[in-house]
Amino acid sequence: MAGDAVDAGIAGGDVGALWWGAGLVVALGLAQMAAGGALDFASHGMWLHAASGTQRRLTTHVLGLGASLTPQVSSGDVTAVTTSDLNKIGNLFDTAGRFVGSVVAFAVVGVGLLGRSPLLGAVALVGVPLAVVGIGPLLRPLQRRRDAQRTELSAVNALAADIVAGLRILRGVGGEARFAGRFADATARVRLAGLDVARSTASLAAAEVLLPGLVLVVITWLGARLAVAGTLGPGELVAVYGASAFLVVPVTTATEAAASLASARAGAKKVARLLALRPLLRDPGDDATPLPAGALGLADPATGLTVRPGELVVVDAGAEAAAVAARLARFVDGGMVDDRAGDDVALAEMRRRVVHAGPEDLWFSGPLRAELDPRGQLAVSEALDAAAATEIVDGFPDGLDEVLGERGREVSGGQRQRLALARVLLTDADVLVLEEPTSAVDAHTEAWIAARVAARRRGRTTVVLAQTAPWRHVADRTVDLARTLEGSIP
């Protein structure tokens, strides 16, 4: 079209044909603007659909894993997937539509070039794909370096999570400088890996310009010689040059799609690994054995511990306290509830009726009232009194509406422990398994708490894994597993 306008309007002196050709070019430009807007809208929609859909699927799966997640994968890997890999998957879908369009455009323009000049068309149709093939060897090193960068990024995310979780302890033992040095070394490795990625990306970008540019130079040189020889008219030369220059766009889009595919494959592998994780505990589903109403009995065959329904038992399990608590509450297999194997009971029913509270329980950011009683239906004050936590709440400017940050770092360890005890008492579960519930409070406060918890839990099953006298004084029965376990060690 542009070539016909040049030949007829300029070389031939037909002003009307020139204006007609120029008008068509402007109309095509406007149509291209509209199509470009629609393309951007569709591409961004595909990006959002891919990234958000993957995120929803991944979030649902990770939440379904519950306590089975952390033993199988590090927090750094999960963080890296949600912050980086989802974007790469979205980018692939963003470029997919444009890649298909570039292939169609390349074929249409190539056929048009062959019609104008078989020689120049053949050079374009052969040279441009060869340019794409020449760019291909640069993609594998780029992918390898991106994988290395991602590995380093996962490591630094995991290290950061560990540092934040143990910040209070680090300050207590003066370990801030040591861990700051480790974090600086880890971030330096991420930076160096990022520089390697940047070098490969720069080489790829240079090749995207250089190789198709060489093809364009060859086409222009040949076209000029054909024009001088009279084989090709000036307008046809302009048209061939414009079409050849346009072919750079599909090539660039194709290389972008190839790079997006390489990055998305790495991210998709990480997502697939997370989706392949399965719960460590079997849920019997429809084959589950229902539990009777009321208080329940527990048993740990590994240690011979038995707890009768409705009694408060204090157990001294020594270093095995966490393992015993995990079996009783069925965070690992091996325990029994009401003379049934724990793995024969539906996990949802176990979590509702047998509640475990330990020193590693988490606090989320938000109002204290919502943390203690998410449904807002219980008498919080009674549980606070039983846990000797009333004075803590009274000390907050906003009382129960005080907003605590993540992990409850605004309060001390002892205060957080008492608030956590109030929270678990508010569940009113048929069975409570309390692992060292008062290890961070003084003896007087511990005696206060033990007496009130015993009164509040009367008639329901409570297992307290502790070694202190206040709990023994209020117990229906005490069990010393520590000596038994020591005697079993060869």
Side-chain angles (χ1 to χ4, degrees):
M1 184 184 302
D4 293 339
V6 169
D7 287 338
I10 298 178
D14 188 348
V15 178
L18 179 62
W19 281 106
W20 171 253
L24 287 177
V25 170
V26 170
L28 287 175
L30 293 175
Q32 186 177 13
M33 289 173 56
L39 174 63
D40 286 342
F41 180 83
S43 296
H44 282 82
M46 293 176 68
W47 188 98
L48 289 172
H49 176 73
S52 63
T54 305
Q55 185 177 44
R56 285 194 300 271
R57 177 72 180 86
L58 187 61
T59 301
T60 301
H61 183 72
V62 167
L63 290 176
L65 290 173
S68 299
L69 176 66
T70 50
Q72 302 183 75
V73 67
S74 70
S75 58
D77 284 334
V78 178
T79 302
V81 168
T82 55
T83 58
S84 176
D85 294 319
L86 293 181
N87 292 334
K88 295 174 182 178
I89 293 173
N91 289 338
L92 174 62
F93 280 76
D94 180 11
T95 58
R98 289 186 284 119
F99 171 73
V100 174
S102 68
V103 172
V104 174
F106 182 85
V108 172
V109 173
V111 171
L113 278 174
L114 288 174
R116 287 282 185 175
S117 172
L119 174 61
L120 297 181
V123 171
L125 290 178
V126 173
V128 173
L130 286 178
V132 175
V133 173
I135 295 171
L138 298 175
L139 294 176
R140 182 168 294 179
L142 175 61
Q143 179 58 41
R144 185 172 61 251
R145 290 170 179 173
R146 281 178 172 168
D147 288 341
Q149 182 193 27
R150 190 195 179 285
T151 300
E152 296 294 344
L153 185 60
S154 296
V156 79
N157 285 334
L159 181 60
D162 292 341
I163 292 175
V164 171
L167 189 58
R168 187 184 297 273
I169 298 175
L170 289 177
R171 288 176 175 172
V173 300
E176 304 101 309
R178 182 178 181 85
F179 273 83
R182 288 182 58 189
F183 188 74
D185 292 341
T187 53
R189 290 193 295 271
V190 173
R191 179 178 60 83
L192 293 176
L195 290 175
D196 289 339
V197 172
R199 293 188 187 98
S200 293
T201 303
S203 299
L204 180 63
E208 289 177 356
V209 176
L210 176 62
L211 297 181
L214 291 176
V215 176
L216 187 60
V217 168
V218 172
I219 291 174
T220 304
W221 180 76
L222 286 175
R225 290 182 62 85
L226 291 175
V228 170
T231 305
L232 197 67
E236 291 179 314
L237 177 60
V238 171
V240 169
Y241 175 83
S244 301
F246 170 78
L247 290 181
V248 176
V249 176
V251 170
T252 303
T253 303
T255 54
E256 180 186 2
S260 297
L261 176 61
S263 298
R265 285 183 63 187
K269 288 179 181 178
K270 305 297 182 182
V271 173
R273 289 196 189 104
L274 287 179
L275 292 177
L277 298 179
R278 292 295 177 262
L280 298 177
L281 298 176
R282 182 183 68 87
D283 193 339
D286 295 337
D287 297 328
T289 303
L291 294 173
L296 301 171
L298 298 178
D300 179 22
T303 60
L305 172 65
T306 58
V307 181
R308 293 185 291 271
E311 68 176 350
L312 191 157
V313 177
V314 174
V315 181
D316 179 3
E320 295 296 315
V324 172
R327 287 192 293 270
L328 291 177
R330 212 209 158 195
F331 285 100
V332 296
D333 287 326
M336 299 184 68
V337 55
D338 203 61
D339 297 328
R340 297 166 174 81
D343 55 5
D344 289 336
V345 181
L347 277 175
E349 186 174 11
M350 282 290 295
R351 296 291 176 259
R352 185 177 68 255
R353 302 190 60 185
V354 181
V355 175
H356 168 261
E360 301 299 325
D361 290 348
L362 293 180
W363 286 82
F364 298 98
S365 58
L368 177 60
R369 187 190 305 274
E371 279 289 298
L372 296 173
D373 178 22
R375 296 182 178 85
Q377 299 174 350
L378 303 175
V380 176
S381 59
E382 295 179 7
L384 290 172
D385 180 67
T390 303
E391 64 180 25
I392 302 173
V393 177
D394 291 341
F396 292 144
D398 296 324
L400 286 171
D401 294 322
E402 183 78 8
V403 177
L404 297 183
E406 186 180 0
R407 296 180 182 267
R409 294 189 179 93
E410 292 85 350
V411 297
S412 67
Q415 290 175 327
R416 187 162 56 248
Q417 188 178 61
R418 284 181 279 167
L419 289 172
L421 179 57
R423 179 172 64 179
V424 74
L425 289 174
L426 281 168
T427 63
D428 280 330
D430 293 320
V431 179
L432 284 187
V433 180
L434 306 179
E435 184 185 345
E436 297 291 350
T438 51
S439 59
V441 302
D442 59 77
H444 175 74
T445 305
E446 185 176 27
W448 168 289
I449 293 173
R452 279 157 180 75
V453 169
R456 182 182 177 91
R457 294 289 302 170
R458 187 170 292 115
R460 283 172 291 181
T461 309
T462 306
V463 181
V464 181
L465 291 124
Q467 305 176 30
T468 53
W471 285 106
R472 291 176 178 270
H473 290 160
V474 301
D476 297 320
R477 185 163 56 95
T478 61
V479 178
D480 190 351
L481 287 181
R483 293 182 181 179
T484 304
L485 294 173
E486 288 175 2
S488 66
I489 297 175

